[in-house]
Amino acid sequence: MSSAPLILSRYPFNTFNALFSCAKFLSLAQQLHAQVIINGLYREVFYGSNITNAYVQSGSLPLATKAFDQITAKNPHSWNTIIAGYSKGCLYDYVLKLFRDLRSDGNAVDSFNLVFAIKASQRLMFFHNGRLLHCLAIKSGLEGDLFIVPALLNMYAELGSLNDAHKLFERYSYRSSVMWGFMIKGYLKSSQEPRVFELLSNMTNYFDFRCDVFTMEGLVRACANVLAGREGKASHGVCIKNNLLVNACLLTSVIDMYMKCGFTRYAFLLFEKAHDRWDVVLWSALINGCAKKGKFCEALSVFKRMLENSTAPNPVTLSGVILACSGVGSLKQGKSVHGFVIRNMVELDVVNYTSLLDMYSKCGCVRTAYKIFCMMPVKNVVSWTAMINGYAMHGLYLEALSTFYQMTQNECIVFGKQVPNSVTFTSVLSACGHSGMVQEGLRIFNSMKDNGISPTEQHYACMVGILAKAGQFDAALSFLSDMPIKPGLNAWGTLLSACRFHKRVELAEEIAKRLSLVEPNDDFSCQASLANMYIDGIGKMTVAEEGLNKCLGFSSIEVRNKLRVFSSNDTLAFTSPDISHTWNS
């Protein structure tokens, strides 16, 4: 657009006023402001408000504020203009300050400025202030306003006060799709998916209800969270019927729902049909869905297609790719992803750092994993647990215990103190089991209650494993009998595995009988453990007589940029497509 100076005094005032609506650029807004000053009109509310709005539209809030302050007698329109500008700029503290100044100036509140004040309280998480604004809306006769009610609903839902949201929602017979959507959003945020389905039942009976993108996205997300595949398919049908899948966010939610519910074929079909709308969010949903479902090779294959499509990954994408690299043990691909992060200065959060740490641990590079751990600007309990587990899986029990004590001791200034959770104790007890440190294991197990954690069957199974692997079978059996919870598959299975290590065949057969009573539907794993023991100790003849077969184990290796998966019976069981890629961006 030309930036040639305008001499607005040549034009009549009606033309001059019409130019305000065209002032979308800063240079034009400043020229208009100059003409207003030349004509001595800058203190008049009409011209001052229009200049303020012109600066707001051009993105210059400081100049808008100066123009606003020069107005001699401000009216509601001028106040609403500057408040809307600061709200648009996400400067919510200033929005509330301006709202207070508006009231101090003797102006009455209206639905316009009150909505912005409610939104600001929500974004700043000022719940008490939001309640006061609700009271002000009632006092001003605006509680039933078509703009105020949705704003209050959204505030209560976002700040977790669902009882207040529900009371407000039930108070009015008129319910727009936006109001339904805010209620769904609130229940989803509080993990109350059953209430979402109750709302769905009420919505379909509501005479004026119309499906829109907002409500359907919430419904699809609820189906995904509770793995309700059948309801998810029905929701997809409603979206097709109402032509709502033109919305990229809703389409992504449907694909994510199908991935979480295990209908990967439907997710891929829907993805392929949307080839003209592929973006990083859509790619990320597919990659993360595959990775979380254990389809690691498929995730890496989709990632390769994404790069070939010239779509740059974001931190969410990289999180799924790193998880896939961990699952297949693809160190080369994992390093390549890490290199991309460094070269492109991608800002990683604690989840991404932990994923990298876990990937290096599972790929055998525990020292590199520790370097990543030390580089993390913020560490949470998941990060600490991942590092402990990485040491444990490589038999570095002293390092695992040292990290555990660093995590829990107050004097650890470098890393900071974190309270261990249930998974942390499982990892450190596993390290004790691999090292045969019985007394240390018992001491850590007994310290769980000091951290407010009640031991689960998994923790008891770890202790049984510690005792049994050390050859203390009498103590392990006594520990099993004294358990406050009934021992299940984990506890008995751990003892059965220890029997193989110490060649206690008779005890193993007795345990197998008990295990078949505890888990009658899991007889295969019990027989497989016995089969492994018979093969190691007695011979294949006994295995054939029992009709048992040794379970095949699979492994993988990268050779010439190709991932090869094989078993002990095969020279080559499976070869993946080329998954290696180098980024130049």
Side-chain angles (χ1 to χ4, degrees):
M1 180 175 179
S2 173
S3 58
L6 296 174
I7 304 175
L8 298 178
S9 57
R10 297 176 181 175
Y11 300 98
F13 278 111
N14 57 347
T15 306
F16 177 39
N17 296 339
L19 287 171
F20 284 118
S21 62
C22 303
K24 304 293 183 182
F25 299 92
L26 179 59
S27 59
L28 181 55
Q30 288 176 317
Q31 291 177 52
L32 283 169
H33 193 188
Q35 291 298 315
V36 168
I37 293 173
I38 289 171
N39 287 274
L41 303 172
Y42 63 96
R43 293 189 180 278
E44 293 188 16
V45 66
F46 175 79
Y47 294 100
S49 298
N50 277 282
I51 285 298
T52 300
N53 184 58
Y55 281 131
V56 167
Q57 294 302 317
S58 63
S60 180
L61 283 176
L63 292 176
T65 304
K66 287 182 179 180
F68 173 76
D69 290 339
Q70 290 177 337
I71 300 173
T72 303
K74 303 175 179 67
N75 63 9
H77 174 70
S78 55
W79 280 105
N80 289 347
T81 299
I82 193 66
I83 288 174
Y86 275 95
S87 181
K88 182 181 178 181
C90 301
L91 299 172
Y92 299 113
D93 286 322
Y94 287 96
V95 170
L96 293 180
K97 178 184 180 302
L98 286 167
F99 184 77
R100 288 193 295 269
D101 293 344
L102 174 149
R103 298 190 64 207
S104 300
D105 199 42
N107 291 277
V109 298
D110 57 25
S111 61
F112 193 85
N113 50 52
L114 192 55
V115 164
F116 284 118
I118 293 169
K119 179 182 177 182
S121 299
Q122 172 199 321
R123 296 299 176 88
L124 295 171
M125 302 184 74
F126 291 170
F127 179 72
H128 180 67
N129 197 70
R131 274 185 171 276
L132 292 177
L133 290 171
H134 189 179
C135 294
L136 180 60
I138 296 172
K139 183 179 178 181
S140 304
L142 296 171
E143 189 195 20
D145 185 86
L146 297 180
F147 298 100
I148 298 292
V149 174
L152 287 171
L153 271 179
N154 191 28
M155 180 199 68
Y156 284 131
E158 280 290 314
L159 300 184
S161 183
L162 290 175
N163 287 333
D164 289 322
H166 183 74
K167 289 177 183 177
L168 184 63
F169 184 75
E170 292 293 327
R171 194 174 301 168
Y172 301 100
S173 58
Y174 171 77
R175 295 168 186 173
S176 65
S177 60
V178 174
M179 293 168 63
W180 290 102
F182 283 144
M183 289 301 298
I184 290 174
K185 184 180 176 183
Y187 286 132
L188 281 175
K189 189 171 183 179
S190 301
S191 300
Q192 297 185 32
E193 282 78 10
R195 300 296 297 272
V196 174
F197 294 113
E198 288 179 19
L199 277 180
L200 172 65
S201 177
N202 293 333
M203 285 189 321
T204 53
N205 295 327
Y206 191 68
F207 70 95
D208 198 28
F209 171 72
R210 293 181 181 179
C211 292
D212 66 354
V213 171
F214 194 37
T215 53
M216 290 310 301
E217 185 181 356
L219 180 59
V220 169
R221 286 175 54 200
C223 293
N225 291 348
V226 297
L227 306 181
R230 186 177 65 178
E231 290 78 4
K233 286 182 180 180
S235 302
H236 183 197
V238 173
C239 293
I240 294 172
K241 182 179 179 181
N242 291 275
N243 195 30
L244 299 177
L245 290 180
V246 293
N247 182 273
C249 292
L250 180 56
L251 177 64
T252 303
S253 296
V254 174
I255 289 176
D256 181 65
M257 178 272 297
Y258 277 132
M259 292 301 299
K260 287 181 178 177
C261 293
F263 300 118
T264 54
R265 187 171 67 89
Y266 294 144
F268 272 93
L269 286 173
L270 195 56
F271 177 78
E272 296 297 342
K273 287 181 180 179
H275 61 86
D276 57 331
R277 287 181 289 156
W278 286 346
D279 62 2
V280 64
V281 178
L282 210 56
W283 286 103
S284 300
L286 205 61
I287 291 169
N288 280 274
C290 288
K292 290 176 182 177
K293 280 295 179 180
K295 298 181 179 294
F296 305 121
C297 291
E298 289 88 338
L300 294 175
S301 178
V302 173
F303 182 54
K304 181 187 175 186
R305 285 183 59 193
M306 175 183 173
L307 296 173
E308 291 172 347
N309 196 59
S310 300
T311 305
N314 62 15
V316 178
T317 318
L318 296 174
S319 177
V321 175
I322 294 167
L323 177 60
C325 294
S326 301
V328 298
S330 178
L331 179 60
K332 184 177 180 67
Q333 183 76 2
K335 283 184 174 180
S336 185
V337 174
H338 192 189
F340 175 85
V341 169
I342 295 171
R343 288 194 301 276
N344 292 273
M345 293 183 290
V346 178
E347 187 175 351
L348 301 180
D349 57 14
V350 66
V351 176
N352 293 108
Y353 271 115
T354 305
S355 297
L356 273 175
L357 185 161
D358 185 63
M359 182 272 296
Y360 278 115
S361 294
K362 289 180 177 176
C363 292
C365 298
V366 69
R367 289 185 179 179
T368 307
Y370 181 69
K371 289 180 181 178
I372 298 293
F373 180 72
C374 293
M375 287 168 53
M376 293 178 67
V378 177
K379 300 176 180 67
N380 60 14
V381 64
V382 180
S383 313
W384 285 96
T385 302
M387 192 68 251
I388 294 169
N389 191 58
Y391 281 132
M393 73 172 67
H394 288 283
L396 301 171
Y397 55 90
L398 292 178
E399 288 83 350
L401 289 174
S402 174
T403 305
F404 176 73
Y405 292 133
Q406 282 182 344
M407 176 184 182
T408 55
Q409 288 174 356
N410 288 320
E411 59 267 25
C412 179
I413 300 174
V414 177
F415 296 110
K417 184 183 177 183
Q418 287 283 342
V419 178
N421 61 14
S422 178
V423 181
T424 312
F425 278 102
T426 301
S427 298
V428 74
L429 288 173
S430 175
C432 292
H434 291 312
S435 63
M437 301 175 68
V438 177
Q439 294 303 318
E440 192 69 20
L442 283 169
R443 195 184 71 78
I444 291 173
F445 179 83
N446 292 329
S447 71
M448 290 181 64
K449 293 181 179 179
D450 296 335
N451 289 275
I453 298 173
S454 299
T456 65
E457 195 213 345
Q458 185 67 37
H459 299 112
Y460 284 106
C462 288
M463 277 310 306
V464 170
I466 290 172
L467 293 169
K469 287 178 183 177
Q472 301 180 23
F473 282 94
D474 291 338
L477 289 169
S478 176
F479 192 87
L480 272 174
S481 62
D482 294 339
M483 281 174 57
I485 58 177
K486 185 178 180 180
L489 180 63
N490 287 329
W492 287 112
T494 301
L495 190 58
L496 183 61
S497 298
C499 288
R500 178 190 176 191
F501 181 78
H502 289 279
K503 302 187 185 303
R504 298 286 296 268
V505 179
E506 292 182 1
L507 180 59
E509 290 175 341
E510 182 182 341
I511 293 170
K513 290 178 182 177
R514 290 194 182 188
L515 197 55
S516 63
L517 295 175
V518 173
E519 294 288 344
N521 297 324
D522 197 57
D523 191 49
F524 174 77
S525 61
C526 171
Q527 292 184 356
S529 297
L530 281 176
N532 289 329
M533 180 176 296
Y534 289 143
I535 290 170
D536 293 340
I538 299 176
K540 294 184 179 180
M541 184 67 69
T542 308
V543 179
E545 289 174 358
E546 294 289 336
L548 304 176
N549 293 304
K550 183 178 174 71
C551 291
L552 292 178
F554 288 87
S555 186
S556 64
I557 189 171
E558 284 180 307
V559 179
R560 296 178 182 177
N561 296 334
K562 290 187 177 181
L563 182 68
R564 303 177 186 274
V565 185
F566 56 90
S567 72
S568 57
N569 283 5
D570 301 322
T571 55
L572 184 61
F574 173 76
T575 304
S576 80
D578 185 356
I579 60 169
S580 181
H581 194 97
T582 303
W583 297 287
N584 296 318
S585 56

